[in-house]
Amino acid sequence: MIRIAIQAKGRLNEQSVELLREAGVNIDENKRKFLTRSADFPLEVLYLRDDDIPQAVAMGVADLGIVGFNEVEERGFEVEIAQKLGFGACRISLAIPKAEEYNSPAWFNGKRIATSYPKILARYCEQNGIRAEIHEIAGSVEIAPAVGMADAIFDIVSSGGTLVSNGLKEVEKVLFSEAVLIANPALEAEKRALLEQLMFRFEAVIDSRGLKYLVMNLPEEKVENAVAILPAMRSPTVLPLAQKGWCSLHSVVNERELWDKIEQLKKIGAEDILVLALEKIVR
Ligand code: PRT
Ligand code: ZN
């Protein structure tokens, strides 16, 4: 049995539950308690505030955790970063009122900076030789300059919309973050094996995100051109068709490039192109 701590509610909760579900670890969210057992994997889920997850894992209250890398860095507890999970992407940035002229981090000398991430900020200031006053505040950091509590902020940014609507501009991107799977560094063998099993499954789920499975009919003499367009995992699969001179070609393509590839394939004579959802890739 292994215990994983995930965010009880908030931005990472849904995607954490979804990742587990896609990895074959179902948790009945309707019967959800503080601690809930999965019906199909020897795992229990502990629901916590994200701030508390690194400590819970470092102490062994939970064996594993899913949390933003920013929280791991800020809390400073000793945990192992087992895997990057590809969601919850954001950065922690320094931002200042948009009318201010800005040339370099030296701007922050003697300034008051409001943040919920004082440790990461203190480290950045030290590394860059900046002497600023760091004001720790728990929430609504973005309004601090407007109300005169600070000259600048150091906060999480994802689209940048919150900064713009508060009259601020992002001037230094300090830490890039995404959700990570963390582990207690001293897991016993049985739990380590379960962790590896989970990581193997997560990788298959993460790898298949954004990918589509393509099937098409193609004149046989065009296979080489198609292979050049579609550098699939090893190489595309080519199967004969009943009609002489034609084949069926199967490949995997990233959704971002999908239309571009389809147009190129049509040009070399591909027909009846099917685009199918791809559920998992096990390498
Ligand atoms: O209750 P609990 O303590 O568990 O949750 P919380 O309120 O502390 O955290 P939550 O749910 O807001 O965020 C959890 C994690 O999601 C963070 O630690 C990050 O790792 C990650 N994440 C990803 C974000 C964002 N994107 C994000 N945009 N966390 C917060 N924001 C906020 C940011 O603080 C700012 O106010 O969204 C606003 C900025 O968004 P944009 O898109 O306008 O730039
Ligand atoms: Zn929090």
Side-chain angles (χ1 to χ4, degrees):
M1 176 73 77
I2 198 159
R3 185 184 288 173
I4 188 166
I6 67 170
Q7 198 187 19
K9 53 183 191 316
R11 286 167 199 269
L12 303 182
N13 165 268
E14 236 173 69
Q15 281 164 292
S16 303
V17 172
E18 178 64 14
L19 176 64
L20 285 164
R21 192 191 63 72
E22 287 184 69
V25 184
N26 286 285
I27 306 137
D28 192 343
E29 283 276 291
N30 298 321
K31 289 203 210 122
R32 174 176 151 173
K33 289 181 252 120
F34 181 57
L35 193 62
T36 305
R37 184 89 230 243
S38 164
D40 41 24
F41 196 85
L43 173 146
E44 49 189 13
V45 175
L46 177 64
Y47 295 94
L48 293 178
R49 284 201 58 179
D50 69 345
D51 314 53
D52 299 330
I53 293 175
Q55 186 176 12
V57 172
M59 287 171 64
V61 172
D63 304 302
L64 311 177
I66 296 179
V67 68
F69 177 66
N70 52 304
E71 288 298 330
V72 180
E73 283 289 284
E74 179 63 24
R75 306 292 149 194
F77 290 101
E78 203 175 307
V79 295
E80 179 184 319
I81 310 257
Q83 201 171 27
K84 292 185 179 176
L85 300 175
F87 62 90
C90 60
R91 54 197 185 265
I92 313 188
S93 297
L94 281 161
I96 65 173
K98 67 169 189 284
E100 291 283 334
E101 200 178 311
Y102 183 85
N103 297 312
S104 80
W107 185 92
F108 291 97
N109 273 317
K111 297 287 200 309
R112 297 164 303 160
I113 312 173
T115 188
S116 310
Y117 294 92
K119 277 199 194 150
I120 298 173
L121 178 57
R123 196 174 61 200
Y124 173 82
C125 287
E126 200 184 302
Q127 283 167 354
N128 289 276
I130 298 163
R131 270 201 274 164
E133 258 180 61
I134 297 175
H135 291 256
E136 181 175 358
I137 54 177
S140 304
V141 172
E142 64 280 3
I143 62 162
V147 298
M149 271 174 73
D151 305 304
I153 66 164
F154 179 64
D155 199 13
I156 296 185
V157 180
S158 78
S159 68
T162 303
L163 292 184
V164 171
S165 55
N166 285 280
L168 300 169
K169 63 180 177 189
E170 185 178 16
V171 291
E172 299 290 341
K173 296 174 185 173
V174 172
L175 182 94
F176 288 85
S177 176
E178 67 182 274
V180 288
L181 176 67
I182 57 172
N184 180 286
L187 289 184
E188 58 197 61
E190 180 213 349
K191 288 181 174 176
R192 175 78 39 199
L194 287 170
L195 165 62
E196 272 158 25
Q197 204 178 342
L198 271 180
M199 284 168 64
F200 177 77
R201 294 186 185 190
F202 284 174
E203 194 177 318
V205 175
I206 296 163
D207 269 7
S208 66
R209 292 209 170 127
L211 295 180
K212 295 285 172 198
Y213 193 79
L214 274 189
V215 180
M216 73 210 71
N217 293 333
L218 191 76
E220 266 167 4
E221 80 259 16
K222 297 291 184 190
V223 168
E224 259 180 51
N225 306 45
V227 171
I229 297 169
L230 295 167
M233 283 173 269
R234 219 173 265 283
S235 76
T237 306
V238 180
L239 301 170
L241 283 190
Q243 189 182 342
K244 245 182 147 341
W246 280 77
C247 64
S248 167
L249 189 129
H250 298 216
S251 187
V252 171
V253 61
N254 200 304
E255 205 169 3
R256 275 180 282 117
E257 306 173 322
L258 183 67
W259 287 106
D260 182 46
K261 298 287 182 194
I262 286 178
E263 281 151 19
Q264 291 184 49
L265 291 161
K266 292 283 291 176
K267 268 192 202 139
I268 63 162
E271 288 181 4
D272 305 323
I273 302 174
L274 305 183
V275 181
L276 307 172
L278 192 136
E279 199 164 322
K280 290 178 184 71
I281 295 182
V282 180
R283 292 189 200 269

